[in-house]
């Protein structure tokens, strides 16, 4: 029994590890130096120990340690314990904020089932640089800790205006504008399919950006209630609204 | 224009301060040493400066600095800028987790409009002590930063079994059990009125606790989707589900 978050997950291995390697019956999986240090040094595992592996593609596998060394090691897959559980086709676009809260948004997006996480630069975005590799590592860690079998891709920082100029015509955009009270319930009548959620920057959207966003044919404006939410709170609230109305909270999407 | 979270708030004062003092036309408000240090030392304000004040009871007031000193000072209320905005009668019960995430839950509960925050000790709660004063300060800070005029009370740690034994008969309890997929939408049919949300501990509820919770006549079991959520994520998601279905996201409650 591994315990994550606020509920208990049944599985035989306590340690979950993301690996960038194919998984399958009898498949051997080499460990790099960092993974070996974590598994054998920090977690004190030895040969024969059970580890849960996932790679974001092949579901979750029970594996056994078949070689343990200081600089590497090897695991061998025993059996699949869970199939791949893909999230809905949902992107989360957000303007990076302070480091800890940006990390938090990525972690929460992975937990809440976003398929892709896109940091965007808006007119009022403060930080012009992000560490994409660090944010991707946060998404991996969130998936490891929370029992996920899928890891959302975190892209490099993209300019919002360019992203919207090249927007795929079939993807709808949920744009959270708290000036629009009462619109949140209306999302239930919106069509399913590919979607994105856009969370604004700390400084708000510029007048130009706001006018442009409201005029986009694929944009749906929703409210997140009468209180002002920080961007990280707004991200979780918006993901909740979307997942409940159009996502997989009632089971896998049918279309 | 003060800027908080992901949207812009119109007001004439950039600094918002919580004070435990009556506010009203021409009312003078003494500042203690810490407040004077923050306002005059850290924020470099001088006599005549505008500050927004709230006390959780009298709405938000524009005040001016009428005395500035190293060890104290005085503000004088000019006019009310916003009425008191009470949240719905909603309690958030949660089992304390790691320090940073406990702080986060309190911050998010204040932002999302909980009226009262109750840390509960369950059978599997790790930390037996909390710093109530520190958590209350986090609720105050969240209200200051996010434009709130109300500060939820954070109570001392209470034993869940005792709390449930003395439960007020008119207050319903939303109990988040992720084994119950698909039940979240059903909350829309539940009655309005006093409610509480219960978020479980990292180790999950015990078998006894779970059986007891499911048997309570005032308990409504809801799902937060197919993914495992950390307790802090679950708190924001649960508050979103409740506010959208039964709270004030469509305007103030009518009953």
């Amino acid at each position: 029994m591994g315990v994550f978050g606020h509920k208990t997950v049944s599985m035989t291995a306590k340690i979950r590890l993301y690996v960038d390697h194919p998984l399958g019956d009898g498949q051997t999986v080499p460990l790099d130096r960092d993974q070996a240090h974590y598994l054998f040094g920090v977690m004190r595992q030895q040969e024969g120990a059970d580890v849960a592996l996932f790679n974001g593609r092949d579901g979750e596998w029970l594996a056994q340690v078949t070689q343990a060394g200081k600089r590497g090691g090897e695991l061998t897959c025993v059996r699949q314990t869970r199939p791949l559980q893909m999230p809905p086709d949902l992107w989360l676009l957000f303007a990076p904020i302070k480091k800890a809260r940006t990390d938090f948004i990525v972690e929460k997006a992975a937990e809440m089932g976003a398929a892709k996480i896109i940091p965007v630069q808006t007119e009022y975005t403060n930080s012009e640089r992000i560490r994409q590799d660090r944010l991707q590592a946060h998404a991996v860690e969130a998936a490891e800790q929370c029992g996920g079998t899928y890891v959302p891709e975190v892209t490099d920082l993209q300019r919002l205006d360019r992203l919207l100029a090249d927007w795929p015509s079939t993807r709808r955009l949920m744009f959270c504008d708290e000036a629009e009270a009462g619109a949140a319930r209306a999302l239930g009548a919106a069509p399913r399919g590919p979607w994105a959620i856009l969370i604004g920057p700390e400084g708000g959207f510029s007048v130009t950006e706001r006018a442009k966003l409201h005029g986009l044919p694929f944009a749906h404006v929703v409210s997140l209630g009468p209180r002002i939410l920080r961007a990280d709170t707004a991200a979780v609230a918006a993901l909740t609204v979307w997942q409940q109305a159009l996502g997989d909270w009632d089971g896998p999407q049918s279309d």
Side-chain angles (χ1 to χ4, degrees), chain A:
Chain A
M1 299 279 276
V3 170
F4 303 109
H6 62 301
K7 74 172 182 182
T8 304
V9 189
S10 300
M11 51 187 196
T12 54
K14 285 191 181 179
I15 298 172
R16 295 188 89 237
L17 212 58
Y18 170 84
V19 291
D20 185 14
H21 196 274
L23 302 174
D25 275 319
Q27 176 75 53
T28 55
V29 179
L31 295 176
D32 66 26
R33 195 179 181 131
D34 286 349
Q35 290 167 328
H37 172 72
Y38 170 74
L39 210 53
F40 310 130
V42 179
M43 300 303 287
R44 304 271 170 189
Q45 300 299 300
Q46 298 178 332
E47 285 188 19
D50 287 341
V51 178
L53 297 181
F54 67 106
N55 59 7
R57 302 182 300 274
D58 300 320
E60 183 187 88
W61 286 76
L62 173 67
Q64 275 186 343
V65 176
T66 40
Q67 270 183 44
K70 286 204 173 178
R71 288 174 192 156
E74 193 185 76
L75 296 169
T76 303
C77 291
V78 178
R79 64 170 191 276
Q80 196 187 43
T81 44
R82 290 172 60 201
L84 175 65
Q85 185 189 39
M86 289 287 291
D89 184 3
L90 175 66
W91 298 353
L92 180 72
L93 280 57
F94 75 101
I97 42 178
K98 282 192 297 185
K99 181 177 169 296
R101 290 185 191 267
T102 295
D103 293 352
F104 187 86
I105 288 177
V106 170
E107 175 189 303
K108 289 339 185 194
E111 276 181 54
M112 290 292 299
K116 195 172 181 179
I117 300 168
I118 307 178
V120 293
Q121 185 170 5
T122 68
E123 288 188 40
Y124 294 164
T125 305
N126 290 324
S127 72
E128 276 132 51
R129 284 169 29 144
I130 56 155
R131 284 277 310 275
Q132 185 276 334
D133 57 339
R134 203 172 51 79
L135 294 181
Q136 186 65 65
H138 273 287
V140 167
E141 196 188 343
E144 284 177 342
Q145 294 230 2
C146 295
T149 51
Y150 176 83
V151 179
E153 176 198 359
V154 184
T155 72
D156 273 320
L157 189 68
Q158 303 192 26
R159 276 182 52 172
L160 180 62
D161 54 355
R162 289 185 191 157
L163 196 62
L164 293 176
D166 289 333
W167 195 256
S169 61
T170 56
R171 185 172 298 273
R172 289 167 192 277
L173 180 71
M174 172 173 151
F175 158 46
C176 302
D177 188 340
E178 308 219 348
E180 301 283 325
R185 280 172 196 246
L187 195 60
R192 295 198 170 211
W195 273 82
I197 292 172
L198 171 61
I199 302 293
E202 290 217 331
F205 291 107
S206 73
V207 174
T208 318
E209 283 172 334
R210 175 162 273 122
K212 190 173 173 183
L213 284 164
H214 276 273
L216 294 172
F218 48 83
H220 294 242
V221 185
V222 306
S223 157
L224 299 177
R227 280 161 294 272
I228 301 162
L229 305 180
R230 279 173 149 139
D232 53 347
T233 318
V236 179
L239 286 159
T240 303
V241 168
W242 190 90
Q243 288 287 9
Q244 199 177 11
L246 300 171
D248 60 8
W249 279 29
D250 282 332
Q253 270 188 277
S254 52
D255 48 333

